[in-house]
Amino acid sequence: MKITRWVAGGMTLTAAAALTLVSAGPAQAFPQGTCRGPFHKVASYPITEGAKDGKEYGTVTLYKSSITHKKCAITRVAGPYVGKTSYMYVELFVDRNGNKKYDDPDIGVANGSEKYKWFAGPVYASADHLCVRFTGAIRIGSKPLVHGGTPKGKWMHCD
């Protein structure tokens, strides 16, 4: 996955001069990942399971498109941990046969890497009117892998 930094163009010299006079600026933005196309947010869950310090390491979010009939999931790291990750992961499973069990012909898509520092994904699956379950995981440095997602691995978001 290639991460690209975007720089807003068209800044005038006056605006640039005004910005140099400001001693403290807003927090620097970092890439967050997006689902490409007309998606809207369905649910978001914290990544806290297994955290020894009880902190939220990030979130895993599900999106849906009624136009493309797909669902999309992304894991994002929380602001304090940006650049400190040693592994990030996202997965999305679709209950193809409607029995709310993980068996054939259910489909799973996943994306994970040691190289991800801001987000993992997006992953997409055709899931119009089918239940899904999705999870994300983040490891900060040498700490244990922390998980989050649909509560107790339940099949949900069946619309």
Side-chain angles (χ1 to χ4, degrees), residues 45-49 55-60 75 136-138 146-148:
Y45 298 103
I47 296 178
T48 57
E49 293 174 36
K55 294 182 180 176
E56 184 177 311
Y57 283 27
T59 57
V60 58
T75 294
I138 298 173
V146 178
H147 299 269

Side-chain angles (χ1 to χ4, degrees), residues 81-159:
Y81 305 110
V82 170
K84 297 177 183 176
T85 61
S86 59
Y87 183 75
M88 292 185 71
Y89 180 83
V90 63
E91 66 184 1
L92 172 63
F93 289 96
V94 180
D95 185 20
R96 291 273 182 227
N97 57 7
N99 67 358
K100 295 190 179 179
K101 295 179 182 177
Y102 182 71
D103 55 6
D104 286 331
D106 296 338
I107 292 180
V109 290
N111 183 296
S113 175
E114 298 83 20
K115 296 179 182 179
Y116 297 159
K117 301 297 177 195
W118 299 281
F119 63 93
V123 292
Y124 301 88
S126 296
D128 200 25
H129 302 293
L130 296 173
C131 300
V132 297
R133 49 186 225 195
F134 60 102
T135 59
I138 298 173
R139 177 177 288 125
I140 303 298
S142 61
K143 293 182 180 181
L145 195 65
V146 178
H147 299 269
T150 48
K152 298 181 182 175
K154 291 183 181 179
W155 293 96
M156 301 174 68
H157 311 293
C158 304
D159 54 343

